Amino acid sequence: MTLNTGLLYKPGEDDHHHKPASLYRTEYVSKLDQSLPSATPSLGLGWLGPLAYRQLLLGVVFGAAFLILDGSSTASLGWEGAPPSYLPVGLTLALLLCGGRRYVPVVFISSVVAAVVNYHRPIFSWCGLPGSIGVYLGYVGAAAILRRRWRIDPKLGTLRDVGRYIVISLGAAILSTLFGVLTLWGDGLISRSDALRTAADWWATDALAIITFTPFLLVFVAPLVGCWLRSGSESRPSAAWRARPSATQILELTAQSGFVVFAIWFVFGYAPAIPYQPLYLLFVPVIWIAVRRGLPGAILATFAISIGMTFAAWITQAQSGSLPKLQLAMSALGLTGLCLGAVVTERRQAERAIRESEKRYRLLFERNLAGVFRTTLAGSFVECNQATACMFGYDSPEEVMEVPVANLYDAASDREGFLTKLKSEKSVTNHEMKFRRKNGESAWAMLNVSLVDDDSGIASIVEGTLVDITERKVAEERVQSLAYYDALTGLPNRILMHDRLSKALATARRQMHKVALLFFDLDRFKIINDSLGHSVGDLLLQDVAERLKSCAREEDTVARLGGDEFLIVLTHVNDVPGTAVSAERFMDAMTARFVIQGHSLSIGCSLGISIFPEHGADSETLIKHADAAMYSAKDIGRNNFQFFTADMNAQAVERLTLENGLRLALDKKELFLMYQPQMNIATGKISELEALLRWQHPVLGLVPPDKFIRIAENSGLIVPIGEWVLRTACSQARKWQDEGLRAVSIAINVSAVQFRQQGFCELIRRVLRETGLAPHYLELELTETLLLGNADVTLSVLQELKAMGLTLAIDDFGTGYSSFSYLKRFPVSKLKIDRSFVRDVAMNPDDAAITTAIISMAKSLNLKVIAEGVEDEAQMSFLRAHQCDEIQGYYFSRPLAVDKVAEKLRGEALQALAENHGS
């Protein structure tokens, strides 16, 4: 406030108090930072650029404006009707809100300069330095709260921001009044009796500036100043300033301005009305403009009226006499404009947000790839988008909306069940529904819907989205079939059988009844498969599956485990004799002859039975015991069934013994290698040596590989054992070469478990490097099953091994899934015909045909062929006649110890030397 203290304590004295302002701060925080640009952190660097000079110019202009406003505010106190508003307070508060605490020193300096220059106060008097600082401490704190704690919008865009601004700022005015009155009283400029009136006038002048002037600066001036500071002469006003008003807007603005002028003239210039001062007329344009223009318009109108009233009072040169009344009216006018304008602005922002939201929703609705719809519970469409129409096979939303919703369901019961669930839960998510398209095809959709109120408040509208999942459902059914059902017979596979067995056991525990497992294996199936071919064998398995299903109850499970093995789960079994009757029924079904492609086939079956809970409490144990009982049935003559007994567990005990012993076999040096020579048929000499693993158990003696290799694979011991075999064989091959013997390749069988270990190729490199064996002297024998497991990964490993120079061979070829496709794809060099085909190759036409086909196929692919298990001259003659490359078997040599291999290689060398000498 600027207060003419002469009017209060000494008539005729014209000395006045004053208040300072500050430069704009060029750094903003949060929303306030939008008004003015950031100041340069370094003072030295900040004064070097154009921005610093503009800031300096702004400070000079501000200082001049502050001194002018300080004097004019004090002068207006003498005019009748001029609202005594102390404008420097408004300027200072706007500056602190925009600039922040770094401009507090500027505020204090400006206050001191005004005290010395305008009012000639001694700098060390109470009204000098202490008073100049004290009167603005409240405003500094208010700006800090509004700026830092509450972070109000600098344009006072919401009613909450307006309320906080008014409350905090008017509270700060109270502190300013307290300090100001104390400084005046301290210097003896007012008496104690005048303190209350002085305080009221002080606070009123500050309040009017806070209500009318500061909002005008924040909304209209600060953005322009900030724009100028940021970009200089190249800056442009905002779009709101550049917009051209329409003719209607110009007319309305003219009317509003005219009414303001008329109201001020009526109050100050119309003689009959002057005694009554009808100030209520000033509320009409403020309310009108606030309703039409929102907060910016209300602020501008309030400020314009304040300025207009000041000029009117100056023109009329009326004497002071009714200030309290005018102060009260102007305060009410300003508060009305701010609050009403904020309410209107908030409402318009909300309406604009709603319109934009509706526009976005409409675009999302129309362009959504998912179907979006609204229907009634009665079954009529309210609206839908194009995606919905396409999903149901219609050309447009209008076409599908003419169709009753019930006609789109695959079955009427589906709609009834869905609506019942929706009415109960009010919202249904991820509901899969089968529907019918326009052309009659069935399809699937996933719905996410809610039951909402209509215009009358009744929950009768169904709205939501649907996504076509037909392709996914078809894929799921296919995957379900592949994952849980046997592709050949259509029976549940091992995975689904385990699941059903687990559920059956859980039910049996609750209801205290028994479950029987029948492990079923066909007798002589291999003979039929080998003699008549796999096609006949497959048809036979399909007929067996049908007979087993026909003999089983609906609640029982018939599953195929693989090959010719089936497992039957009988639930709700009363006693063991009942199980025996069921087993006889299944066996009788197998004794009847099968007619397959004109062949009358008679097969039998061996059946092993385990009972829950007598023979096991979990599925694995029961299956294991039923399997053991089945092998027992085979051992005693086949075509019979056996219940599990404790004696049948001997094999499991033996397996555990072998596994425990195998864990220590490497450390105890119980493992050793034998080497079986492979002969080149054309030369009759050793072409390669296959390393064969043997185990000399301290108690069981020599354990055959077929007994412990599978145990090693299942237990993971095959990895360290395989590395030992690889290292030992490569080292021995290099040693033979160092002894001067003819270099021959060494062939090593690789387990699938070892092959899939991460770092297998690096292991090969390391072993070759450490043993010194050249890569082309190492051959790895891989099974067909290994090659077909994760073919992409397998291919990359094989290519890396081939690049290293190794030879790759397929072992036991013909016993797995033999295919041209993987032979062409994988970089193998040799096929090894399984001994099962070679054994009867001279007598069995099927074996001969298969062997001949394998050799012919390998030749066409430029692959070498080796036959294993060759034991007599007839087999040898057949293979020689069909141009097989190599053989392996007892006909040429049994597996040999290390020293015997050296002797055989030396013998070949001597024989070759003798032949050369003789020739």
Short mmCIF file of all heavy atoms in Angstrom, two decimals, residues 85-104:
data_model
loop_
_atom_site.label_atom_id
_atom_site.label_comp_id
_atom_site.label_asym_id
_atom_site.label_seq_id
_atom_site.Cartn_x
_atom_site.Cartn_y
_atom_site.Cartn_z
N SER A 85 -6.20 1.30 -4.63
CA SER A 85 -5.49 0.05 -4.87
C SER A 85 -4.00 0.34 -4.98
O SER A 85 -3.59 1.17 -5.82
CB SER A 85 -6.00 -0.61 -6.16
OG SER A 85 -5.22 -1.74 -6.46
N TYR A 86 -3.20 -0.34 -4.15
CA TYR A 86 -1.75 -0.11 -4.19
C TYR A 86 -1.13 -1.06 -5.22
O TYR A 86 -0.84 -2.22 -4.94
CB TYR A 86 -1.15 -0.33 -2.81
CG TYR A 86 0.32 0.04 -2.76
CD1 TYR A 86 0.73 1.34 -3.03
CD2 TYR A 86 1.28 -0.91 -2.47
CE1 TYR A 86 2.07 1.67 -3.00
CE2 TYR A 86 2.62 -0.59 -2.44
CZ TYR A 86 3.01 0.71 -2.71
OH TYR A 86 4.34 1.04 -2.69
N LEU A 87 -0.96 -0.56 -6.43
CA LEU A 87 -0.56 -1.40 -7.57
C LEU A 87 0.81 -2.04 -7.43
O LEU A 87 1.03 -3.13 -7.95
CB LEU A 87 -0.63 -0.57 -8.85
CG LEU A 87 -2.02 -0.02 -9.19
CD1 LEU A 87 -1.97 0.76 -10.49
CD2 LEU A 87 -3.05 -1.13 -9.25
N PRO A 88 1.82 -1.43 -6.79
CA PRO A 88 3.11 -2.11 -6.67
C PRO A 88 3.02 -3.46 -5.95
O PRO A 88 3.81 -4.35 -6.23
CB PRO A 88 3.96 -1.11 -5.88
CG PRO A 88 3.39 0.21 -6.25
CD PRO A 88 1.92 -0.01 -6.37
N VAL A 89 2.07 -3.60 -5.03
CA VAL A 89 1.89 -4.91 -4.38
C VAL A 89 1.47 -5.95 -5.42
O VAL A 89 1.99 -7.08 -5.45
CB VAL A 89 0.85 -4.82 -3.24
CG1 VAL A 89 0.38 -6.21 -2.84
CG2 VAL A 89 1.46 -4.12 -2.05
N GLY A 90 0.52 -5.57 -6.28
CA GLY A 90 0.11 -6.51 -7.32
C GLY A 90 1.24 -6.85 -8.26
O GLY A 90 1.42 -8.00 -8.67
N LEU A 91 2.04 -5.85 -8.64
CA LEU A 91 3.17 -6.09 -9.52
C LEU A 91 4.19 -7.00 -8.85
O LEU A 91 4.73 -7.92 -9.47
CB LEU A 91 3.80 -4.74 -9.88
CG LEU A 91 4.93 -4.77 -10.91
CD1 LEU A 91 4.43 -5.26 -12.25
CD2 LEU A 91 5.54 -3.38 -11.04
N THR A 92 4.46 -6.75 -7.57
CA THR A 92 5.45 -7.55 -6.84
C THR A 92 5.00 -8.99 -6.69
O THR A 92 5.77 -9.93 -6.89
CB THR A 92 5.68 -6.93 -5.45
OG1 THR A 92 6.19 -5.61 -5.62
CG2 THR A 92 6.65 -7.77 -4.65
N LEU A 93 3.72 -9.20 -6.31
CA LEU A 93 3.24 -10.57 -6.12
C LEU A 93 3.26 -11.35 -7.43
O LEU A 93 3.65 -12.53 -7.47
CB LEU A 93 1.81 -10.52 -5.56
CG LEU A 93 1.23 -11.86 -5.14
CD1 LEU A 93 2.12 -12.55 -4.12
CD2 LEU A 93 -0.17 -11.68 -4.56
N ALA A 94 2.90 -10.70 -8.52
CA ALA A 94 2.97 -11.38 -9.83
C ALA A 94 4.39 -11.77 -10.15
O ALA A 94 4.67 -12.85 -10.68
CB ALA A 94 2.40 -10.47 -10.91
N LEU A 95 5.32 -10.86 -9.82
CA LEU A 95 6.72 -11.11 -10.10
C LEU A 95 7.27 -12.28 -9.29
O LEU A 95 8.00 -13.12 -9.79
CB LEU A 95 7.51 -9.84 -9.78
CG LEU A 95 8.70 -9.51 -10.69
CD1 LEU A 95 8.35 -9.65 -12.14
CD2 LEU A 95 9.14 -8.09 -10.38
N LEU A 96 6.90 -12.33 -8.01
CA LEU A 96 7.36 -13.42 -7.15
C LEU A 96 6.77 -14.75 -7.58
O LEU A 96 7.43 -15.79 -7.52
CB LEU A 96 7.01 -13.13 -5.69
CG LEU A 96 7.79 -11.98 -5.04
CD1 LEU A 96 7.24 -11.68 -3.66
CD2 LEU A 96 9.28 -12.31 -4.95
N LEU A 97 5.52 -14.76 -8.00
CA LEU A 97 4.90 -16.00 -8.46
C LEU A 97 5.56 -16.50 -9.74
O LEU A 97 5.70 -17.70 -9.96
CB LEU A 97 3.41 -15.79 -8.70
CG LEU A 97 2.54 -15.68 -7.45
CD1 LEU A 97 1.10 -15.34 -7.82
CD2 LEU A 97 2.58 -16.98 -6.65
N CYS A 98 5.96 -15.58 -10.61
CA CYS A 98 6.59 -15.98 -11.87
C CYS A 98 8.09 -16.25 -11.70
O CYS A 98 8.62 -17.18 -12.31
CB CYS A 98 6.39 -14.89 -12.92
SG CYS A 98 4.69 -14.69 -13.46
N GLY A 99 8.75 -15.43 -10.87
CA GLY A 99 10.21 -15.52 -10.78
C GLY A 99 10.72 -16.39 -9.67
O GLY A 99 11.77 -16.99 -9.78
N GLY A 100 10.03 -16.47 -8.54
CA GLY A 100 10.49 -17.31 -7.47
C GLY A 100 11.42 -16.58 -6.51
O GLY A 100 11.63 -15.36 -6.57
N ARG A 101 12.02 -17.35 -5.62
CA ARG A 101 12.77 -16.77 -4.50
C ARG A 101 14.07 -16.09 -4.92
O ARG A 101 14.61 -15.30 -4.15
CB ARG A 101 13.07 -17.86 -3.47
CG ARG A 101 13.89 -18.99 -4.00
CD ARG A 101 14.28 -19.94 -2.89
NE ARG A 101 15.05 -21.07 -3.39
CZ ARG A 101 14.63 -22.31 -3.37
NH1 ARG A 101 13.44 -22.58 -2.88
NH2 ARG A 101 15.38 -23.29 -3.84
N ARG A 102 14.60 -16.39 -6.09
CA ARG A 102 15.86 -15.75 -6.48
C ARG A 102 15.71 -14.24 -6.72
O ARG A 102 16.67 -13.51 -6.78
CB ARG A 102 16.45 -16.42 -7.72
CG ARG A 102 15.68 -16.16 -8.99
CD ARG A 102 16.41 -16.72 -10.18
NE ARG A 102 16.62 -18.15 -10.03
CZ ARG A 102 17.34 -18.88 -10.87
NH1 ARG A 102 17.93 -18.28 -11.89
NH2 ARG A 102 17.48 -20.17 -10.70
N TYR A 103 14.45 -13.80 -6.87
CA TYR A 103 14.22 -12.37 -7.08
C TYR A 103 13.80 -11.63 -5.81
O TYR A 103 13.44 -10.46 -5.86
CB TYR A 103 13.15 -12.16 -8.16
CG TYR A 103 13.63 -12.62 -9.50
CD1 TYR A 103 13.32 -13.90 -9.97
CD2 TYR A 103 14.43 -11.80 -10.28
CE1 TYR A 103 13.78 -14.33 -11.19
CE2 TYR A 103 14.89 -12.23 -11.51
CZ TYR A 103 14.57 -13.50 -11.96
OH TYR A 103 15.04 -13.92 -13.16
N VAL A 104 13.85 -12.32 -4.68
CA VAL A 104 13.54 -11.68 -3.41
C VAL A 104 14.48 -10.50 -3.13
O VAL A 104 14.04 -9.43 -2.70
CB VAL A 104 13.57 -12.71 -2.27
CG1 VAL A 104 13.47 -12.02 -0.90
CG2 VAL A 104 12.43 -13.70 -2.44
#
